[in-house]
Amino acid sequence: MSVTQAPDTVGADAGPPPPASDRARAERRLGWYLAGPAFVVMLLVTAYPIAQAFYESLFKYRLTDPDAREFSGLGNYLVVLSDGVWWRAVGVTVLITVITVAIEAVLGFALALVMHRALTTLRPILRTAILVPYAIITVVSAFAWFYAFDINSGFVNSWFSWVPGISENTNWFGEFSTSVTVIIASEIWKTTPFISLLLLAGLAQVPDELQEAAKVDGATWWQRMYKVTIPNMKAAIMVALLFRTLDAFRIFDNVFIMTQGANNTEVVSFLAYRQTISRLEIGLGSAVSVLLFLCVVLISFLFIRLFKVDLASARGER
Amino acid sequence: MGRRTVSVAAAATMVLGLAACGGDDGTPTLTWYINPDDGGQAELARRCTEAADGAYRIETSLLPREASAQREQLARRLAANDSSIDIISLDPPFIPEFAEAGFLAQIPDDIADAVTENVVQGAIDGATWRDEIVAVPFWANTQLLWYRRSVAEAAGLDPENEPVTWQQLIEAAQSQDKYLGVQGIRAEALTVWINALVTSAGGEILENPEAPADEVQLGLESEAGAAAAQVIEEIARNGLGGPGLGNQDENGAMLQFQGDRGSFMVNWPFVWAATLAGVEGGNLDQALVDDIGWALYPAVAEGEESRPPYGGINLGIGAFSAHTDLALEAAQCIVTPENQAYYMVTNGNPASNTEAYDDPEVRESFPMADLIRESLEAAAPRPQTPYYNEVSSGLQSTWHPPSSVTPDSSPEEATTLITEVLKGERLL
């Protein structure tokens, strides 16, 4: 997207062009009537819980001691932000997010290319096969990975004991590095299909004429990839990365099933869960949830600003 | 018959018909929230429904497997004044929190007297909060020292006749190159172990458990706390807990104990029934069963008293139940000595009522019945405080993995963390 396009986008969103005809105004009103109900529903299901969480986060409030509820202002945020536990959880979450998204982007792109190039007869089977992990419920896949690597019930140790560093006595969930490796591996296995599907859609949008023109000009496969394919599917790549980053940042199930946060593998969502659900400290838990929400907003903002993603063009509207 | 009469009659029939679908003959239905077992509680519900002769009917509703998850679900429902909760199978450490929050209906004095008659002291303590019985003791659990006779003999120990210490077990397992069965997982099992070690060394995790959150004093920074940490450190440092110590729970410890490198293990009596079932199913050898001995939980220092872990389940009556009277009646039926004996024989969970231990079937199924009873009398409950969850989670996060525990730093770390968490200054 070029810089000159930006004012157009802003202008279209921000308000009516100066001379608005009656007809244009009527159309806009109709647009609001049509979109209005959906907008209200959106507010109810998303804005209301967020507002409620923010309100709760201003109190010291324990579910089993409702009489002691007291207003504490931003005290809960102070407690959270000044605690090493929070920052460690943020660190672990960022680590998991960066590694999984980076590996998934490469793997997903490779799979998308395979699916794109596959023979027509093979394509449906290939796509189904690649999509299977994504179809499995996360908790179920987390259990499967946990049992595979568990020192008592797992088969990984006995199958791969010939690999240096793995023996019958390797306790995968006994320390940070190995626990987080299994968590990351299961996350990658589970969600690479999602990213590859989004990238496949992007690949399909690259015009064949451009590829052919580049070929006629004598461009190699790599040159075509860098100069034609990737620039033309930039929006799709960014949307895929954005969605996966947000998803990875909210990781919960794998950690919950595999380590319960032991060995410092606690992530932000799990921290929020523990304060709210285990400790029943509604105020403190809400503060963590609100901070998690702000992190997600920040990530979206950074992606859209820094990478200049144009969601409208990614959806094929322009 | 006029048209109007017909329609009234039809409506009446329909209403009756619906009533029949919903609650049979209008008999009040009591919902009993049970922890997972081998079907024993469901059978007790059936028996007591039969005995009630139409006064009430008990239906069971299953809670999650983990004690902490059971607490989470119950607390959420009770905080929302859930009136469908009539009877609750409650883990004793969570009773003070529930009682303090007003989640448990009062138990009248006469019933309290009746349900604590002939009951072991540990179970009565577990059901008491602020000097009042707030729950009905049901079954009472305690850990024993299980050992392989062959290994103990080779190491020169005779746990059956002479009380043993942790130090002796460590040396014995080391000399025989075997694993020592303990629970090092970051879960309630770890707190159970730490509590047993601290109390056996003559200390307490909390010195004033009934105090408000910001005044609670911890007793870990003491000789007892250091002694407890030292036992854990030595087992972990020497690899005696096995490679999976950091995530070994009760079941994991049992499987390890049943294996080639099993020697000694501290665990609940369910392991006996489970091992017998393993032999019956052809997974284990009879020779293994013949080799298993049992003794009182080990002490931390020679000459000191052993304080085995205390567990079990008590029955709470939901404060928002529409039928508290009937629920109390049903709870009394559930915990009769006969029913406790039945439950012990079929589900492997020891009775809290001493009369049940005279039952011939109990004596046949549990050759160690007298020892269990003795252990229950000596058992030390976990700290009874409405903030138990914070205390337990704080211990688990500072004393895990076991290989990180040291007498110099671990008691202090736990004390700092738990104190600050209780004051609301830190996350957990």
Side-chain angles (χ1 to χ4, degrees):
Chain A
M1 186 168 81
S2 66
V3 183
T4 46
Q5 275 173 316
D8 293 342
T9 326
V10 172
D13 289 345
S21 65
D22 283 353
R23 187 187 159 152
R25 249 178 286 160
E27 274 185 356
R28 209 168 50 247
R29 207 176 310 127
L30 178 66
W32 271 108
Y33 286 146
L34 291 176
F39 185 67
V40 171
V41 171
M42 273 281 284
L43 275 185
L44 279 177
V45 299
T46 60
Y48 170 70
I50 293 167
Q52 172 83 23
F54 179 71
Y55 175 73
E56 301 280 7
S57 73
L58 302 177
F59 290 86
K60 270 194 174 175
Y61 176 34
R62 185 187 166 89
L63 203 56
T64 49
D65 193 5
D67 298 337
R69 177 178 164 134
E70 59 173 289
F71 183 75
S72 66
L74 297 176
N76 284 328
Y77 292 94
L78 200 69
V79 169
V80 175
L81 292 174
S82 62
D83 199 314
V85 172
W86 159 260
W87 293 109
R88 199 175 59 211
V90 170
V92 174
T93 314
V94 169
L95 178 82
I96 293 177
T97 306
V98 170
I99 297 180
T100 53
V101 173
I103 296 179
E104 283 178 25
V106 177
L107 260 182
F109 193 68
L111 286 177
L113 282 176
V114 171
M115 284 194 279
H116 190 59
R117 294 268 156 224
L119 293 172
T120 335
T121 46
L122 210 62
R123 210 176 279 171
I125 303 166
L126 197 65
R127 284 187 192 178
T128 315
I130 289 176
L131 270 176
V132 164
Y134 193 62
I136 293 173
I137 299 159
T138 317
V139 175
V140 175
S141 93
F143 267 119
W145 279 75
F146 171 73
Y147 285 126
F149 282 84
D150 183 48
I151 188 161
N152 294 316
S153 64
F155 59 83
V156 170
N157 281 356
S158 48
W159 283 16
F160 296 96
S161 51
W162 50 272
V163 177
I166 300 180
S167 74
E168 284 291 333
N169 289 339
T170 305
N171 186 6
W172 291 89
F173 301 109
E175 56 182 292
F176 176 77
S177 55
T178 45
S179 310
V180 95
T181 305
V182 180
I183 291 171
I184 286 175
S186 71
E187 187 77 3
I188 292 172
W189 176 80
K190 171 84 176 59
T191 47
T192 303
F194 170 72
I195 221 166
S196 67
L197 207 64
L198 287 183
L199 294 177
L200 179 65
L203 274 178
Q205 279 181 354
V206 180
D208 281 341
E209 307 88 71
L210 291 182
Q211 301 276 20
E212 274 163 28
K215 235 185 230 174
V216 171
D217 287 344
T220 63
W221 189 85
W222 278 110
Q223 281 169 330
R224 271 181 284 139
M225 189 56 72
Y226 275 106
K227 306 262 172 171
V228 180
T229 311
I230 292 179
N232 272 292
M233 55 183 292
K234 187 177 152 195
I237 293 174
M238 290 312 160
V239 168
L241 290 184
L242 172 64
F243 281 13
R244 258 312 293 156
T245 307
L246 292 180
D247 217 24
F249 199 81
R250 290 178 288 122
I251 178 173
F252 177 81
D253 313 46
N254 283 331
V255 177
F256 182 77
I257 301 297
M258 293 189 204
T259 64
Q260 287 272 327
N263 311 317
N264 292 333
T265 52
E266 190 156 83
V267 289
V268 179
S269 309
F270 191 70
L271 188 68
Y273 162 83
R274 277 205 314 116
Q275 308 307 317
T276 321
I277 310 287
S278 308
R279 292 189 57 200
L280 307 168
E281 291 280 0
I282 306 296
L284 211 49
S286 299
V288 176
S289 308
V290 169
L291 287 171
L292 171 60
F293 168 70
L294 291 179
C295 289
V296 169
V297 171
L298 184 74
I299 292 173
S300 313
F301 180 79
L302 287 179
F303 258 90
I304 291 171
R305 271 295 144 108
L306 295 181
F307 296 98
K308 299 197 174 68
V309 185
D310 185 353
L311 291 172
S313 102
R315 282 199 300 264
E317 288 173 9
R318 292 198 301 127
Chain B
M1 200 190 282
R3 209 171 165 173
R4 197 188 162 105
T5 334
V6 172
S7 55
V8 168
T13 321
M14 268 182 72
V15 169
L16 284 177
L18 285 175
C21 294
D24 271 351
D25 31 26
T27 312
T29 302
L30 303 174
T31 312
W32 177 15
Y33 280 77
I34 58 169
N35 57 313
D37 62 2
D38 287 344
Q41 290 175 103
E43 169 62 16
L44 292 183
R46 196 193 61 77
R47 289 181 178 195
C48 287
T49 300
E50 213 164 83
D53 201 20
Y56 56 79
R57 191 175 54 241
I58 309 176
E59 272 175 12
T60 54
S61 185
L62 199 62
L63 288 167
R65 185 158 289 280
E66 277 285 313
S68 50
Q70 292 166 14
R71 167 185 164 274
E72 282 163 20
Q73 188 182 129
L74 287 168
R76 278 209 307 276
R77 283 166 175 265
L78 288 164
N81 295 7
D82 188 339
S83 61
S84 79
I85 300 184
D86 299 297
I87 308 170
I88 318 160
S89 286
L90 258 182
D91 215 2
F94 304 126
I95 287 177
E97 184 182 22
F98 279 35
E100 196 78 344
F103 291 168
L104 301 179
Q106 262 189 336
I107 295 184
D109 288 346
D110 55 328
I111 296 181
D113 289 344
V115 296
T116 49
E117 205 181 290
N118 297 323
V119 168
V120 293
Q121 193 55 42
I124 297 178
D125 293 345
T128 308
W129 175 241
R130 295 201 192 279
D131 299 326
E132 260 183 58
I133 299 286
V134 292
V136 175
F138 176 26
W139 57 275
N141 218 353
T142 184
Q143 287 198 0
L144 302 178
L145 170 67
W146 303 87
Y147 62 96
R148 301 280 280 266
R149 293 178 197 277
S150 52
V151 180
E153 202 176 317
L157 284 184
D158 182 14
E160 200 178 346
N161 299 310
E162 288 167 27
V164 287
T165 62
W166 279 100
Q167 198 53 45
Q168 284 174 312
L169 295 185
I170 290 169
E171 283 163 16
Q174 224 168 352
S175 71
Q176 302 303 309
D177 194 24
K178 303 273 185 191
Y179 292 140
L180 194 51
V182 286
Q183 288 88 47
I185 188 173
R186 185 170 146 166
E188 195 50 33
L190 181 62
T191 312
V192 167
W193 187 26
I194 298 171
N195 186 60
L197 290 172
V198 174
T199 47
S200 166
E204 290 288 343
I205 289 179
L206 294 190
E207 284 175 351
N208 53 349
E210 291 192 14
D214 47 357
E215 290 168 28
V216 168
Q217 297 279 328
L218 270 86
L220 283 173
E221 285 182 281
S222 61
E223 275 178 35
Q230 194 173 353
V231 170
I232 297 179
E233 182 196 29
E234 237 172 288
I235 291 174
R237 198 184 50 213
N238 296 318
L240 293 176
L245 175 63
N247 34 13
Q248 182 154 284
D249 59 6
E250 290 93 338
N251 208 45
M254 177 181 78
L255 295 176
Q256 189 187 61
F257 177 75
Q258 291 169 344
D260 294 340
R261 294 187 69 180
S263 64
F264 303 90
M265 165 179 70
V266 287
N267 215 330
W268 310 100
F270 83 93
V271 297
W272 180 244
T275 309
L276 292 182
V279 173
E280 211 165 284
N283 307 318
L284 298 169
D285 284 341
Q286 179 62 35
L288 170 75
V289 175
D290 298 338
D291 195 31
I292 293 179
W294 44 85
L296 205 59
Y297 199 83
V300 168
E302 213 177 324
E304 274 190 59
E305 214 184 338
S306 147
R307 301 298 308 273
Y310 163 73
I313 288 289
N314 291 336
L315 300 180
I317 308 297
F320 314 104
S321 156
H323 311 285
T324 40
D325 292 348
L326 292 177
L328 274 166
E329 222 172 281
Q332 281 175 277
C333 166
I334 292 166
V335 302
T336 57
E338 303 78 61
N339 280 342
Q340 289 196 23
Y342 160 79
Y343 194 60
M344 186 167 176
V345 170
T346 52
N347 283 247
N349 292 323
S352 65
N353 195 306
T354 50
E355 274 181 49
Y357 290 84
D358 299 329
D359 185 286
E361 274 187 66
V362 167
R363 302 204 70 82
E364 196 190 331
S365 318
F366 288 88
M368 70 296 290
D370 287 333
L371 178 70
I372 292 175
R373 201 175 137 175
E374 187 190 339
S375 180
L376 278 173
E377 298 285 358
R382 281 158 277 171
Q384 285 205 293
T385 160
Y387 304 99
Y388 177 75
N389 183 59
E390 271 75 9
V391 175
S392 179
S393 309
L395 274 175
Q396 288 165 33
S397 69
T398 46
W399 289 47
H400 188 272
S403 53
S404 71
V405 174
T406 70
D408 297 332
S409 62
S410 302
E412 190 192 333
E413 270 173 41
T415 305
T416 317
L417 175 68
I418 294 171
T419 316
E420 288 181 1
V421 163
L422 287 178
K423 285 184 181 157
E425 293 165 0
R426 276 189 76 175
L427 290 171
L428 186 56

